[in-house]
Amino acid sequence: MTPPSTPSTPSTPSTPSTPSTADRLVESTRELLWERGYTGTSPRAIQQRAGAGQGSMYHHFAGKPELALAAITRTAQELLAVAEGLLAGPGTAVERVTAYLRREREVLRGCPVGRLTQDPDVMADPVLRAPVEETLGRLRGRLAEVLAEGRAAGDLPPHLDPDATAATVVAVLQGGYVLARAAGDPGPFDQAVTGLLTLLAPPPHPQEPHP
């Protein structure tokens, strides 16, 4: 799974233990977008959280849209890398999908990429929307590949549609986040995942008749 391309960011000398000003600005924007959305992420808030001045911010980035694009792209790359690490891991297709669905998540904060689809400012901007759309599309595609492997191996029923099922997996995850946030409790998310995994459970092997 190839991550989205990264916008070019001017480099700043830094030591391995000290993030550059540009990195601090991007990380601060990532956090604020997750917490507040695009409108609530003001340049002043970014600068305060990053510990950077206005001059430093505009030295590295032309403005808030360019910085937001760098932040969204980095978040997308991280999400895809985590997913690939689990979906390409050991085990059957169902076991790998289960590992992905059951991985540790900050459920009550929502998906850092999925939440952007509810941000009208992001969705109205084709440049900012592109990495969101691309990331969710690549995730569905990778899940479909794993599910197709499971069908070919006999771990999943032959009538299973990998593409449709992959879309269902992503929809259940995103819907689970919404239910959990509405309830203020991760329980509905866990329940949704459990229900989906029940549907993906390998078919039972027919018992041989007793002699």
Side-chain angles (χ1 to χ4, degrees):
M1 189 188 315
T2 305
S5 57
T6 307
S8 58
T9 301
S11 60
T12 299
S14 62
T15 65
S17 59
T18 306
S20 69
T21 300
D23 278 338
R24 294 201 314 274
L25 288 164
V26 171
E27 287 302 311
S28 296
T29 305
R30 290 178 67 195
E31 294 169 6
L32 288 165
L33 285 172
W34 198 1
E35 295 169 10
R36 308 180 186 181
Y38 186 81
T39 299
T41 301
S42 67
R44 182 176 179 81
I46 295 169
Q47 294 158 24
Q48 288 179 338
R49 184 165 297 200
Q54 182 175 347
S56 296
M57 176 174 166
Y58 289 102
H59 170 73
H60 293 289
F61 300 95
K64 175 180 166 181
E66 184 180 355
L67 182 50
L69 177 61
I72 293 170
T73 301
R74 185 176 294 182
T75 296
Q77 290 175 330
E78 184 178 280
L79 183 148
L80 290 176
V82 170
E84 179 61 21
L86 295 167
L87 295 174
T92 66
V94 174
E95 288 169 345
R96 285 179 280 152
V97 172
T98 299
Y100 171 66
L101 292 172
R102 293 293 193 194
R103 76 172 180 84
E104 187 175 348
R105 303 168 189 269
E106 295 185 70
V107 173
L108 294 183
R109 294 186 70 188
C111 173
V113 172
R115 282 190 66 179
L116 293 172
T117 64
Q118 302 171 42
D119 191 317
D121 294 292
V122 173
M123 292 296 98
D125 186 326
V127 175
L128 296 179
R129 186 179 69 244
V132 177
E133 180 181 4
E134 180 183 5
T135 299
L136 294 175
R138 288 187 178 184
L139 179 58
R140 290 199 313 272
R142 187 67 181 97
L143 283 164
E145 290 175 358
V146 174
L147 292 166
E149 292 173 15
R151 184 180 65 180
D155 297 325
L156 292 167
H159 62 268
L160 179 136
D161 182 329
D163 292 320
T165 305
T168 301
V169 171
V170 175
V172 168
L173 275 179
Q174 297 302 324
Y177 281 120
V178 171
L179 293 174
R181 284 172 58 78
D185 185 329
F189 178 93
D190 296 334
Q191 189 175 34
V193 168
T194 297
L196 175 59
L197 290 175
T198 300
L199 297 175
L200 290 178
H205 294 290
Q207 296 183 348
E208 296 183 3
H210 295 289

